[in-house]
Amino acid sequence: MVEHDAAGDASSWVRAFLDRRRSVRGTARLYAPNVSAVSGSGDDRGAQLDVCVDESKMRLLDAATGKPVARQPEWTRKPFLQAAAMGRGDDGGWRIRLFRHAKLPDERAKGCLR
């Protein structure tokens, strides 16, 4: 589940696809997960999960026709690092509160090269 800033970020991402009449098809590969930080204690505990994302098998489509757009965006070509800052909700379940990412050549994303 997402909340706080992460909910707004996810909503904006989806809205951008809808506004441009775009959709995506394919498979995103997630690999090299790593809990890179843990903070707080007890019920106030938080963590950051880093994961590499490869969207090279994804295609950006025209939503009306279902056909790939002529110029595929750069995000379909290179892996990147996605970080999710998380905290516990009132029910004890983990919630994603903030998304961040790093693209190559950023040092943090270099671990995503294979």
Side-chain angles (χ1 to χ4, degrees):
M1 175 178 260
V2 295
E3 62 183 24
H4 301 295
D5 290 347
D9 291 344
S11 178
S12 294
W13 182 76
V14 170
R15 192 174 320 108
F17 277 86
L18 295 174
D19 290 348
R20 294 181 185 112
R21 294 188 167 100
R22 299 289 190 235
S23 65
V24 291
R25 182 179 303 143
T27 303
R29 185 171 68 100
L30 307 177
Y31 59 98
N34 180 47
V35 176
S36 64
V38 176
S39 61
S41 62
D43 291 340
D44 194 33
R45 195 162 201 186
Q48 178 173 311
L49 175 66
D50 297 337
V51 64
C52 293
V53 181
D54 176 356
E55 295 177 326
S56 62
K57 301 230 186 290
M58 301 285 292
R59 293 294 169 261
L60 185 65
L61 308 174
D62 179 297
T65 67
K67 294 182 180 180
V69 297
R71 295 185 61 142
Q72 291 291 307
E74 189 170 318
W75 56 258
T76 62
R77 296 185 188 100
K78 295 180 183 176
F80 62 94
L81 179 73
Q82 179 79 57
M86 301 180 299
R88 291 211 183 251
D90 292 339
D91 63 356
W94 286 96
R95 306 286 193 271
I96 297 172
R97 296 188 172 153
L98 178 70
F99 287 116
R100 295 195 182 231
H101 68 277
K103 298 183 214 177
L104 292 165
D106 189 297
E107 193 66 34
R108 294 170 296 160
K110 288 185 179 177
C112 295
L113 291 174
R114 295 223 165 194

